[in-house]
Amino acid sequence: MITLENVSFAYADQGPSVQDVSFRLEKGEFAAILGANGAGKTTTVRLMDGLLKPTSGRVLINDMDTVKSQVSERARKVGFLFQNPDRQICKNTVREEILFGLRTVRGDEGEEALQARTDEVLKDFHFTGDEEPFSLSRGQRQRVALASILAVEPEILILDEPTTGLDYLECCHIMDRIRKMNEEKQVTVIMVCHDMEVVLDYARRALVMAGGRLLADGPVKEIFRNTELMEKASILPPQMIGLGLRLGDGFENADTPEGMAEAVMARRGKGGAGA
Amino acid sequence: MICFKDLSFTYKGEKAPALSEINLTVEDGGFLGIIGPAGAGKTTLARAITGMIPHHYTGDFYGSVAVNGLDTVDTSIDEISRMVGMVFQDVESQIISPLVEDEILYGLENFGVPREEIPQRMAEALQKVGIADLQERSIASLSGGQRQKVAIASIIALKPQVLVLDEPTGELDPRSSRQIFSLLKELNEEQGITVILIEQKIMLLCEFAKQLAVVSGGKIIRQGNTRDVLAHADELQALGVNCPRVTTLSRMLSEKTGAAQPVCINLEEAEKMVRRLIG
Ligand SMILES: Nc1ncnc2c1ncn2[C@@H]1O[C@H](COP(=O)(O)OP(=O)(O)O)[C@@H](O)[C@H]1O
Ligand SMILES: Nc1ncnc2c1ncn2[C@@H]1O[C@H](COP(=O)(O)OP(=O)(O)O)[C@@H](O)[C@H]1O
Ligand SMILES: [Mg+2]
Ligand SMILES: [Mg+2]
């Protein structure tokens, strides 16, 4: 669980980048933060992870105030996946990379346990462990970064544009893995993402930001169907939702091509058209 | 005109070819979208157009690439760069100046653009990309998305006949991405600039590109008019290439109604199709 209470933040010598933002994420939620470049999304997720401290207001991870907490306490609870895996990866093999994260955060468990956990994660991600991260593709490196974060078994996973620069299959691999953690282990997920189709497919809740403020917070589909809000935040809704809104007349409820095709056929079946 | 004839290329020290038997023609004034999974050879294809292959990147080179009838093997990179402007996938390796202004200036001076023309060309390029306010900023203070826009502006300022862009909108938000695509369309339609655009944003690509080439495993699997290529959505999906959801809807409605529906590439077309079907 993460709580933001009237959080504001300003970088040195600048006006506020985040202003009076409040929300609470319960355990097991899957939320997305939407908004234009510069809206304050990255600043917000860095505040959630304690990398930045609020200028005013409070951020609580479970019941722990990020201002008073130790880095090590937070690292045990929160995993942070950057947009660019190269900011994260620092070891020469995938095995070392995963072990490195584990030793830093769960060093008290003893080498044997950590080696066993590493084996488990390698197997799960289909790595041998001997791969050299910097000779892998960007998508593979992003999987290495994700593997080393999930190895620690965080309660909360924060993702800042995790699929940037990835192709479609790589994007699906990363997102399916995250969904699995969310569904099976009740890991709380919050992601910043510019691909609204991905947001629709994976997230259940959406937080919309503009100019450092939280404009709206609600179920993903409801948010996408709020035309005025979408315009204010410079967001084009996913195609099927956009199509449903154009068609109106009951079609607003479809949000996938399957759903839309069925709705069309049902209407034809009623004898609306000469089939 | 850009013309690939049976081009195969293997980077020095590699076993597998990065490109095999590429045959591709892009007419003057064309707008070609290139899509394909990571490692397919898209960037290598772009490098072959600009002459970086084989001049910078050595390896086994078979077949030929011609730009405006000039064989890239016999033409210097310098000469090719006067016809073809390229925006790199890795923006960091493209930008060489510490200031936005200098980055644009550098290319213009290099190309021998007359002094009195320079301020106008710079202002126009920055304004077109929507970053007039960044002119005096340092590159270091910019976000990844803003740097991508600077790279695009610096190439557009040179007014090349052919623009090659390698995943230029990766870090841009949806509105800025659409803005860049619209700008490319404008340059293509109003100034007849040939655009070759490598992109993962399939929805935008299908809406804007007139032709599409699908690359996988170093080969061009399909090429042709965007709509004709999208008619093979199943095949593309098997290769791990996504297609727009309106196109998926076309396919599903074709199956369900038992009558071929048009291949839709945008919301207007999808709306029309549905309205016609429900009468
Ligand atoms: N390290 C930084 N130093 C100073 N200003 C920053 C820094 N990072 C972001 N900003 C500013 O804060 C605002 C919000 O940025 P950010 O949180 O990165 O937005 P987003 O992730 O939504 O694109 C922007 O105006 C940006 O210029
Ligand atoms: N400079 C290089 N040296 C050796 N191999 C390379 C180089 N650049 C790319 N490759 C290889 O060529 C193949 C195609 O890569 P690339 O053209 O970058 O694909 P894409 O842009 O579609 O992701 C890949 O197998 C890649 O590893
Ligand atoms: Mg950001
Ligand atoms: Mg590439």
Side-chain angles (χ1 to χ4, degrees):
Chain A
M1 184 178 80
I2 289 198
T3 314
L4 277 77
E5 287 174 359
N6 307 100
V7 171
S8 296
F9 179 84
Y11 291 96
D13 308 321
Q14 285 206 14
S17 289
V18 165
Q19 280 189 72
D20 196 23
V21 167
S22 300
F23 62 86
R24 175 207 284 258
L25 280 182
E26 301 293 343
K27 184 173 172 60
E29 282 205 83
F30 198 136
I33 303 189
L34 318 181
N37 287 138
K41 307 179 298 295
T42 294
T43 307
T44 301
V45 291
R46 289 195 166 166
L47 285 160
M48 294 175 77
D49 160 284
L51 284 167
L52 297 174
K53 311 286 191 233
T55 315
S56 64
R58 287 204 305 170
V59 178
L60 303 175
I61 300 174
N62 295 336
D63 290 320
M64 170 178 80
D65 190 324
T66 57
V67 173
K68 293 170 194 147
S69 65
Q70 303 282 322
V71 181
S72 56
E73 283 178 274
R74 295 199 305 268
R76 187 75 178 78
K77 297 228 157 33
V78 184
F80 197 114
L81 185 67
F82 290 93
Q83 178 176 333
N84 185 347
D86 303 340
R87 291 193 47 185
Q88 210 139 345
I89 297 174
C90 58
K91 293 290 171 187
N92 291 326
T93 68
V94 172
R95 166 174 284 279
E96 282 172 46
E97 182 64 36
I98 291 172
L99 262 174
F100 175 72
L102 277 169
R103 284 187 186 132
T104 315
V105 181
R106 287 169 49 168
D108 54 331
E109 289 175 32
E111 192 59 18
E112 209 170 311
L114 299 189
Q115 291 284 356
R117 174 71 187 138
T118 302
D119 288 334
E120 210 176 283
V121 174
L122 287 171
K123 188 158 165 257
D124 198 23
F125 274 80
H126 306 291
F127 285 121
T128 67
D130 298 329
E131 298 89 347
E132 296 170 4
F134 291 98
S135 67
L136 297 174
S137 73
R138 175 159 180 159
Q140 293 279 355
R141 293 203 301 281
Q142 191 65 301
R143 284 185 53 226
V144 173
L146 182 63
S148 60
I149 288 164
L150 294 182
V152 172
E153 302 183 298
E155 287 171 36
I156 298 157
L157 192 53
I158 299 179
L159 314 152
D160 193 359
E161 300 188 35
T163 62
T164 300
L166 305 193
D167 70 24
Y168 175 63
L169 281 187
E170 291 170 338
C171 168
C172 294
H173 277 148
I174 295 281
M175 292 309 305
D176 287 346
R177 173 68 56 168
I178 291 164
R179 168 148 64 196
K180 195 169 147 214
M181 295 308 294
N182 174 254
E183 286 176 355
E184 292 176 6
K185 302 257 168 73
Q186 291 293 299
V187 172
T188 309
V189 179
I190 180 133
M191 70 168 176
V192 175
C193 182
H194 282 314
D195 186 331
M196 297 309 139
E197 307 290 352
V198 171
V199 171
L200 175 67
D201 287 351
Y202 292 92
R204 293 187 291 275
R205 174 174 169 189
L207 301 149
V208 183
M209 290 191 73
R213 291 184 182 276
L214 187 61
L215 284 189
D217 175 1
V220 163
K221 290 170 196 173
E222 243 170 65
I223 293 279
F224 280 139
R225 289 185 183 121
N226 184 340
T227 312
E228 205 180 314
L229 173 67
M230 291 295 95
E231 266 167 32
K232 229 180 186 171
S234 305
I235 299 170
L236 268 182
Q239 279 194 324
M240 286 304 118
I241 291 197
L243 179 60
L245 290 173
R246 275 165 175 264
L247 291 164
D249 194 20
F251 286 101
E252 307 89 304
N253 297 321
D255 49 49
T256 59
E258 291 81 2
M260 188 61 76
E262 267 165 34
V264 171
M265 296 314 285
R267 190 64 59 90
R268 280 162 67 84
K270 277 190 199 147
Chain B
M1 193 171 84
I2 311 264
C3 190
F4 284 75
K5 275 214 181 88
D6 292 322
L7 176 78
S8 296
F9 181 75
T10 308
Y11 286 97
K12 190 169 185 181
E14 299 290 317
K15 289 196 191 78
L19 292 175
S20 332
E21 293 167 37
I22 300 292
N23 284 291
L24 175 71
T25 301
V26 189
E27 301 288 347
D28 288 340
F31 191 143
L32 173 72
I34 299 181
I35 183 126
K42 305 179 297 297
T43 296
T44 305
L45 203 68
R47 288 175 182 156
I49 299 173
T50 59
M52 287 193 301
I53 285 173
H55 295 297
H56 271 180
Y57 296 92
T58 50
D60 290 333
F61 185 102
Y62 297 100
S64 69
V65 181
V67 176
N68 291 343
L70 298 174
D71 192 312
T72 56
V73 171
D74 307 324
T75 314
S76 70
I77 290 200
D78 210 44
E79 201 172 332
I80 299 172
S81 74
R82 293 188 176 262
M83 303 180 278
V84 182
M86 168 140 173
V87 177
F88 292 177
Q89 180 165 14
D90 175 15
V91 183
E92 304 302 326
S93 71
Q94 168 148 10
I95 296 183
I96 47 178
S97 314
L99 296 176
V100 171
E101 206 163 32
D102 291 353
E103 181 64 24
I104 317 268
L105 199 61
Y106 179 80
L108 289 169
E109 284 182 348
N110 242 356
F111 269 42
V113 173
R115 248 175 206 297
E116 57 278 13
E117 246 185 71
I118 285 182
Q120 156 75 16
R121 288 271 280 267
M122 168 142 31
E124 192 185 72
L126 290 170
Q127 180 262 326
K128 277 195 148 80
V129 180
I131 51 169
D133 56 325
L134 299 184
Q135 178 166 345
E136 285 161 20
R137 290 273 292 271
S138 74
I139 301 287
S141 74
L142 303 182
S143 69
Q146 289 171 324
R147 285 176 207 205
Q148 282 189 319
K149 290 184 183 174
V150 172
I152 296 169
S154 70
I155 299 301
I156 281 176
L158 303 175
K159 303 197 170 175
Q161 286 164 264
V162 180
L163 263 175
V164 180
L165 306 103
D166 194 355
E167 305 196 23
T169 69
E171 304 211 21
L172 299 184
D173 63 27
R175 184 168 64 171
S176 299
S177 303
R178 186 168 277 275
Q179 233 169 26
I180 295 296
F181 275 71
S182 302
L183 168 62
L184 295 175
K185 182 184 159 99
E186 179 193 314
L187 294 173
N188 176 252
E189 289 179 353
E190 291 173 15
Q191 300 179 28
I193 292 176
T194 307
V195 177
I196 299 173
L197 175 57
I198 301 171
E199 255 300 342
Q200 294 295 343
K201 291 180 180 158
I202 186 73
M203 265 189 304
L204 280 172
L205 197 62
C206 291
E207 223 178 290
F208 285 86
K210 297 181 208 159
Q211 279 92 34
L212 219 52
V214 182
V215 183
S216 178
K219 295 198 164 79
I220 294 187
I221 306 295
R222 270 207 185 266
Q223 56 176 310
N225 292 330
T226 301
R227 238 176 263 277
D228 299 339
V229 170
L230 281 177
H232 301 273
D234 284 352
E235 185 187 301
L236 304 192
Q237 266 169 340
L239 294 172
V241 173
N242 196 9
C243 66
R245 299 204 179 178
V246 287
T247 312
T248 307
L249 179 64
S250 295
R251 197 189 67 223
M252 288 181 166
L253 285 172
S254 298
E255 279 165 18
K256 284 187 190 284
T257 59
Q261 300 302 325
V263 176
C264 298
I265 56 173
N266 58 35
L267 285 186
E268 286 75 18
E269 294 180 4
E271 182 182 0
K272 235 193 228 165
M273 169 177 71
V274 171
R275 289 205 187 281
R276 188 175 42 72
L277 283 172
I278 61 177

